[in-house]
Amino acid sequence: QVQLVESGGGLVQAGGSLRLSCAASERTSGSYAMGWFRQAPGKEREFVSAIRWSGSITWSADSVRGRFTISGDIAKTTVYLQMDSLKPEDTAVYYCAATARYRGSLIGQGGYTYWGQGTQVTVSS
């Protein structure tokens, strides 16, 4: 079974940067897309960014567009999230997600079948 492992979270001051990484334990020929979601205490899990391997097409939430950049290495089945100009409201547990095929919108949780354990990102004011 495919497992995803996130890394790179931590504590930073507002305006700082972090780079998250997510690697899949196994590669499949049917790899389709990977993405990032986040969940702050007391809030719903929300979409952050995603990349479709074919064409390297990306999507980002309005709240992070211009500040966060998603990229990946399909050969390594690894996705990255470069987070710049971090704000306190970015504080959350960030989850990596993946899917081997299209199964729904990539900005929704239903579009993915594999999830990581999450990595904490805390931004102080």
Side-chain angles (χ1 to χ4, degrees):
Q1 182 175 319
V2 174
Q3 293 185 324
L4 305 178
V5 180
E6 304 100 331
S7 63
L11 173 64
V12 298
Q13 291 186 300
S17 299
L18 283 174
R19 183 174 184 255
L20 306 184
S21 297
C22 173
S25 62
E26 298 180 14
R27 304 174 191 176
T28 62
S29 60
S31 296
Y32 177 72
M34 296 181 74
W36 292 95
F37 290 75
R38 67 186 182 185
Q39 186 168 25
K43 295 185 177 181
E44 298 290 330
R45 186 171 298 187
E46 66 176 354
F47 169 76
V48 176
S49 193
I51 181 169
R52 190 187 75 193
W53 297 120
S54 179
S56 297
I57 306 301
T58 63
W59 293 263
S60 293
D62 291 343
S63 60
V64 306
R65 191 172 298 117
R67 299 188 298 119
F68 293 8
T69 302
I70 190 170
S71 62
D73 184 342
I74 188 171
K76 298 180 180 180
T77 317
T78 300
V79 68
Y80 308 96
L81 186 66
Q82 178 65 45
M83 305 185 292
D84 297 318
S85 301
L86 284 162
K87 304 175 180 179
E89 52 262 46
D90 293 319
T91 295
V93 175
Y94 283 70
Y95 297 91
C96 176
T99 181
R101 65 175 178 82
Y102 176 79
R103 57 179 66 246
S105 174
L106 294 178
I107 67 171
Q109 294 177 244
Y112 306 85
T113 54
Y114 306 107
W115 294 85
Q117 293 296 305
T119 185
Q120 178 71 48
V121 171
T122 302
V123 184
S124 62
S125 60

